[in-house]
Amino acid sequence: MRLSIFLSAVALLPAAFAQLSGSVGPTTKTSAKRATKTCDVTKYGAKADKTTDIGPPLASAWAACQSGGIVIIPAGDYAMKTWVTLKNGKGVGIQLDGIIYRTGTDGGNMIMIRDTTDFEFFSSTGKGAIQGNGYEIHASQGQCKGARLLRTYKVTNFSVHDIALVDSPMYHYSLDTCTNGEVYNMAIRGGEWGCLDGIDVWSNNIWIHDVMVTNKDECVTVKSPAKNILVENIYCNWSGGSAFGSLGADTAISQVVYRNIYTWKSNQMLMVKSYGGSGYVEDVVLENFIGHGNAYALDIDQYWSSMSKVDGNGVQLSNFTIKNWKGTEANGASRGPIKIACADGAPCTDMKISDFAMWTETGSKQTLTCQSAYGSGACLKAGTGKSYAMVTSTQTAATAGYTAASMAADLKSAFGTTKSIPIPALPTSYYPGQKPISAVAGA
Ligand SMILES: *[C@@H]1O[C@H](CO)[C@@H](O)[C@H](O)[C@H]1NC(C)=O
Ligand SMILES: *[C@@H]1O[C@H](CO)[C@@H](O)[C@H](O)[C@H]1NC(C)=O
Ligand SMILES: *[C@@H]1O[C@H](CO)[C@@H](O)[C@H](O)[C@H]1NC(C)=O
């Protein structure tokens, strides 16, 4: 969906879209591509028998349609034994209405699209999915092994939408060095482990919205380098949570907005994770966050113990606007809703926290901690200055207005890592009270 359509159609958008640097999405409509040519994988040897390898037929169908047209994977169950790298496309789409089941055991990327422009990967029915059956790889090879389901690399003017990515062996979808992309109406559901990230993005001018993620690692996470990223209407439905990072040397992240982020039973609502390193993260807005049952809420940790220290004084964080955070955290005494530990070698500046009201689900107190962090609100020191040791304040009464809506269908227990994970239907809402920005296909 072209951004320009929304700009004319919806009044409240310009402020948010300032975050993007221009249009996102394919430049040719799906219907026009379809009128140019269609390449049905079943005409190139694919069979919906859940046995025949769809890899070579998909590559052949791409070759036939890559300079204009739509590759069609009709409804049905397909096996994928060998992976494909689909490149040099222009004005091409892949319509995934069937379900691709991983049967091969290689690492890498099951489907990688690269060096392509004016591209769309979508389901016309909202029923298309890639089922990675990661639990089988986890049983035979262990954690952090096997393939990613989908990667777009150096793709410009594109969209990925209305599909489900399920139980990846390792990571679900990465946007690597892409430009002008839109990712929306997606359900991502993985096992309860690390290395099963939902969406990782290091790219330029990308709009990610209306996405649900279940796993125990990244929900929607920005990595470096990244610029002009807008992430909204995200439902981390039992996940690790969203983050910036992990960040190391020469970090370059700017102009990022997260808004309408609902996080349930995750490690955090939003984390910045680094240890040492250099470069910057700046001009960030984190607004309208609701959390329930999470360990951390806002967790800026520039001494993150899960990574090795990287050379450098620390990544410089500046100009963060953090506002309208509501809900409850699991245990505010052990893990308070605001933990800001900035690098002593690069104190955070211009961090602004307002309208932040969260309360603990366990006990009757919670802590706010700040270290080497300047700005306004919470425990931040005013002005600018040198490093300072961690200061902790304790709240013993809830701040008024902390209560916030829950989603009706929060996941009650995790999927684990040893059993098959069912393919979900695409949710019809990704944030309390919000409809998806574009209608969900097939809804
Ligand atoms: C992407 O789209 C923009 C217009 O929206 C256009 O200016 C640009 O040339 C396109 N990029 C490519 C690689 O086609
Ligand atoms: C801070 O970031 C916001 C959001 O990107 C931006 O609009 C604003 O201009 C930035 N402020 C400064 C002083 O750079
Ligand atoms: C959250 O996840 C659970 C399990 O996948 C699912 O039953 C529920 O429908 C999800 N919520 C939404 C709104 O889709």
Side-chain angles (χ1 to χ4, degrees):
M1 188 69 66
R2 301 296 293 166
L3 172 60
S4 49
I5 293 169
F6 289 118
L7 284 174
S8 53
V10 185
L12 58 91
L13 296 178
F17 283 120
Q19 215 56 45
L20 297 174
S21 58
S23 296
V24 293
T27 41
T28 308
K29 282 186 177 158
T30 317
S31 53
K33 290 187 179 112
R34 206 188 302 280
T36 302
K37 192 172 183 182
T38 57
C39 302
D40 182 329
V41 289
T42 62
K43 304 266 168 23
Y44 296 85
K47 288 196 175 64
D49 60 3
K50 228 178 162 183
T51 306
T52 306
D53 184 11
I54 196 177
L58 178 54
S60 302
W62 174 269
C65 259
Q66 74 185 84
S67 48
I70 301 271
V71 172
I72 294 176
I73 302 171
D77 292 340
Y78 303 85
M80 190 166 203
K81 191 157 187 281
T82 53
W83 308 161
V84 289
T85 297
L86 308 174
K87 58 185 179 186
N88 302 331
K90 190 166 196 264
V92 52
I94 299 175
Q95 179 179 321
L96 173 65
D97 290 340
I99 298 171
I100 296 177
Y101 294 82
R102 179 204 56 77
T103 57
T105 56
D106 284 353
N109 305 288
M110 275 179 72
I111 298 179
M112 172 147 168
I113 318 290
R114 58 172 297 171
D115 302 298
T116 284
T117 188
D118 189 8
F119 171 73
E120 190 175 6
F121 187 91
F122 68 105
S123 171
S124 70
T125 58
K127 296 204 160 65
I130 305 177
Q131 168 57 278
N133 281 326
Y135 77 101
E136 296 172 351
I137 297 288
H138 300 148
S140 61
Q141 300 184 25
Q143 191 174 0
C144 303
K145 294 279 161 43
R148 184 189 277 103
L149 299 189
L150 179 65
R151 182 184 193 109
T152 45
Y153 172 65
K154 291 191 175 169
V155 178
T156 57
N157 298 349
F158 69 103
S159 63
V160 174
H161 60 98
D162 292 288
I163 57 168
L165 301 177
V166 180
D167 198 11
S168 184
M170 193 158 74
Y171 312 124
H172 288 82
Y173 176 31
S174 296
L175 292 94
D176 173 355
T177 322
C178 294
T179 311
N180 304 345
E182 182 180 6
V183 175
Y184 60 101
N185 298 352
M186 286 184 63
I188 297 178
R189 184 190 264 187
E192 200 197 19
W193 245 352
C195 289
L196 300 178
D197 303 13
I199 294 181
D200 293 310
V201 53
W202 59 105
S203 285
N204 195 340
N205 199 40
I206 307 289
W207 186 22
I208 299 172
H209 60 92
D210 300 294
V211 173
M212 177 180 73
V213 175
T214 297
N215 59 7
K216 209 65 195 175
D217 208 320
E218 308 302 333
C219 184
V220 177
T221 283
V222 175
K223 296 176 177 286
S224 177
K227 196 171 179 197
N228 297 111
I229 309 287
L230 174 58
V231 180
E232 64 181 321
N233 293 359
I234 303 299
Y235 184 10
C236 309
N237 182 9
W238 197 302
S239 173
S242 296
F244 290 73
S246 45
L247 307 173
D250 303 320
T251 294
I253 298 178
S254 63
Q255 298 288 335
V256 178
V257 172
Y258 276 78
R259 61 174 210 173
N260 298 357
I261 310 297
Y262 179 88
T263 309
W264 157 249
K265 275 275 187 203
S266 298
N267 299 336
Q268 79 273 343
M269 290 165 68
L270 194 288
M271 183 172 186
V272 179
K273 43 190 177 181
S274 65
Y275 186 14
S278 56
Y280 59 88
V281 181
E282 64 188 20
D283 304 338
V284 170
V285 177
L286 308 171
E287 67 177 330
N288 310 343
F289 276 58
I290 292 177
H292 296 292
N294 305 298
Y296 290 101
L298 175 66
D299 182 13
I300 296 178
D301 189 350
Q302 298 200 269
Y303 291 91
W304 192 41
S305 58
S306 296
M307 69 184 282
S308 310
K309 186 172 190 297
V310 177
D311 282 349
N313 290 336
V315 178
Q316 173 72 58
L317 310 187
S318 64
N319 188 19
F320 277 52
T321 299
I322 297 160
K323 67 177 178 196
N324 190 26
W325 284 47
K326 298 281 145 70
T328 51
E329 74 275 358
N331 184 339
S334 57
R335 290 164 170 172
I338 295 181
K339 176 189 166 190
I340 301 179
C342 293
D344 290 336
C348 300
T349 59
D350 202 15
M351 310 295 280
K352 293 152 291 210
I353 301 182
S354 61
D355 197 11
F356 192 111
M358 296 199 60
W359 186 236
T360 183
E361 291 163 18
T362 313
S364 55
K365 61 179 181 182
Q366 65 183 17
T367 59
L368 309 181
T369 56
C370 289
Q371 171 185 346
S372 300
Y374 292 87
S376 56
C379 45
L380 293 159
K381 282 196 181 175
T384 55
K386 296 194 302 245
S387 65
Y388 63 87
M390 184 165 282
V391 292
T392 300
S393 61
T394 303
Q395 296 178 330
T396 53
T399 310
Y402 76 87
T403 55
S406 292
M407 294 295 275
D410 282 341
L411 180 55
K412 297 295 182 288
S413 60
F415 291 108
T417 57
T418 57
K419 287 202 289 263
S420 172
I421 298 180
I423 298 171
L426 295 176
T428 51
S429 175
Y430 301 80
Y431 187 82
Q434 291 288 321
K435 284 201 188 115
I437 293 164
S438 302
V440 173

